[in-house]
Amino acid sequence: MNDLSKWMGMPLDASGHGVAIDVMMSWVHWLMLALFLIWAPFFIYCLWRFNAKRHPRAIYSGVKSKISSYLEGGVVVAEAILLVGFALPIWATIKNDFPEESESTIVNVIAEQFAWNMVYPGADGEFGLTTLTKPIQIDSSDPRGNDDIIFTNVLHLVKDRPVIVNLSSRDVIHSFAVPNMRVKQDIIPGLEIPVWFVPKMSSSEFRRQMAKTMPISSDERRRALYAPYRWIAMQDYPNPGDSTMLAEAGQRLSTRVLSRLYDAGITEVYASPEMEISCAQLCGGAHYSMRATVIVHDTQEEFDAVLAENSF
Ligand SMILES: [Cu+2]
């Protein structure tokens, strides 16, 4: 009753505030269902009851009964409860109660047509300047940026550690949408807009829940469709013919890997998608391609190791 997210086709909830949002959405849907079940039959009843044959002349004095006013009052009260009791408290928490910076992962996410630049401040905790080149780079004239790290289209986070994302745009309006984290925020050029959330599910847990057996298409063009969805193999695929490895567990299933599997006679893979960031504002011709992967590490050490690997 409280949580319809499974039946509404909501993406898997991996966010600290996800339950609150899903419960609110569920109650909104219950109210809409109740209204639909009352209003729709009433509307059809009125079509029949007040048809032109039986009532050739309209009555201008209107309805005398007060029932409809009471019903409307009831709907207003229900909507007020949803707004004041559910929506506003959640909104206030998400917009006002930011976590301690010292206990959070802080990332500057700079959106551009058509990519996501994730900038981490490095060991000194301070962001240096970035260049206006495409893709964005660390401006070497600013010493604060010497240890900064940039990832393109991959956001690395740590499970249970709050993350503060400072959103900005280099060009047009974009929107930072992470359905699994129940986060969506427009990005306005010229503004820096912070959002925060807590990933409560790591990528490995997410993959275990989402994994399924997928057929590999015999059509090469269809196989190419998997690649942008960033599906990854959940088990090793050794070549049945010899001992070489066609795909390892955790490896991204690119078109090339899928073709290699298919050519070796493997027609289905056990695979999982990754959590994803998409742009939710139509921002140009290749808007659809503006997507990134969210990797939530199980431990801080794992996260630190990935960042260290990618620092210069
Ligand atoms: Cu965009």
Side-chain angles (χ1 to χ4, degrees):
M1 183 105 185
N2 235 340
D3 188 1
L4 290 175
S5 48
K6 280 197 193 83
W7 291 279
M8 291 197 308
M10 295 279 284
L12 191 59
D13 169 27
S15 171
H17 65 254
V19 172
I21 298 232
D22 288 0
V23 166
M24 181 190 71
M25 300 258 276
S26 302
W27 284 107
V28 169
H29 278 77
W30 282 120
L31 175 65
M32 290 306 131
L33 180 69
L35 290 184
F36 174 75
L37 290 180
I38 299 166
W39 264 211
F42 180 67
F43 175 65
I44 291 163
Y45 166 74
C46 289
L47 289 179
W48 166 78
R49 174 72 178 76
F50 302 103
N51 66 65
K53 230 185 239 162
R54 287 173 62 177
H55 302 270
R57 298 194 54 188
I59 304 166
Y60 294 100
S61 57
V63 188
K64 298 274 188 325
S65 149
K66 287 267 180 335
I67 295 177
S68 62
S69 308
Y70 294 140
L71 282 173
E72 277 160 22
V75 174
V76 170
V77 169
E79 281 174 359
I81 292 172
L82 286 177
L83 194 64
V84 179
F86 290 85
L88 287 180
I90 302 171
W91 191 82
T93 314
I94 293 172
K95 291 295 166 190
N96 298 330
D97 301 345
F98 270 69
E100 280 300 321
E101 285 199 1
S102 58
E103 279 153 29
S104 312
T105 308
I106 299 177
V107 200
N108 282 354
V109 171
I110 305 168
E112 67 177 39
Q113 288 171 319
F114 299 94
W116 298 96
N117 301 284
M118 323 296 187
V119 187
Y120 292 81
D124 65 352
E126 276 196 82
F127 288 98
L129 296 172
T130 47
T131 62
L132 286 175
T133 52
K134 214 166 185 173
I136 279 173
Q137 277 160 11
I138 306 291
D139 187 340
S140 55
S141 67
D142 184 350
R144 291 172 307 170
N146 285 344
D147 59 351
D148 287 8
I149 303 149
I150 297 186
F151 290 93
T152 310
N153 293 335
V154 186
L155 179 64
H156 288 280
L157 305 173
V158 187
K159 186 189 168 187
D160 292 331
R161 188 174 163 87
V163 48
I164 299 174
V165 180
N166 297 311
L167 295 165
S168 58
S169 168
R170 275 190 52 182
D171 34 48
V172 298
I173 298 176
H174 299 276
S175 181
F176 180 77
V178 197
N180 297 113
M181 295 299 166
R182 303 294 190 266
V183 167
K184 189 184 274 171
Q185 170 65 54
D186 276 9
I187 310 172
I188 318 293
L191 291 181
E192 193 176 85
I193 304 174
V195 293
W196 74 276
F197 54 92
V198 186
K200 67 167 188 200
M201 193 185 270
S202 69
S203 283
S204 52
E205 291 163 334
F206 179 84
R207 289 171 197 157
R208 270 198 296 277
Q209 287 209 34
M210 295 295 289
K212 61 177 183 183
T213 306
M214 309 245 300
I216 303 180
S217 174
S218 58
D219 179 358
E220 210 167 319
R221 279 172 311 160
R222 281 183 167 276
R223 287 202 293 265
L225 289 175
Y226 284 102
Y229 286 86
R230 298 186 167 83
W231 285 72
I232 54 160
M234 291 298 288
Q235 62 181 62
D236 288 339
Y237 284 94
N239 193 335
D242 52 50
S243 57
T244 56
M245 197 60 89
L246 294 169
E248 282 175 30
Q251 190 177 348
R252 171 104 173 267
L253 291 171
S254 63
T255 315
R256 199 164 46 86
V257 174
L258 285 167
S259 296
R260 205 157 63 201
L261 289 167
Y262 188 79
D263 294 341
I266 297 167
T267 54
E268 48 181 37
V269 277
Y270 189 55
S272 162
E274 294 279 45
M275 287 185 236
E276 199 182 67
I277 302 170
S278 56
C279 179
Q281 281 285 1
L282 186 54
C283 59
H287 157 71
Y288 67 90
S289 67
M290 203 169 152
R291 55 205 308 176
T293 309
V294 181
I295 305 285
V296 182
H297 297 279
D298 284 283
T299 60
Q300 182 73 37
E301 291 73 47
E302 202 182 296
F303 170 87
D304 291 340
V306 170
L307 258 68
E309 242 170 62
N310 287 277
S311 62
F312 304 102

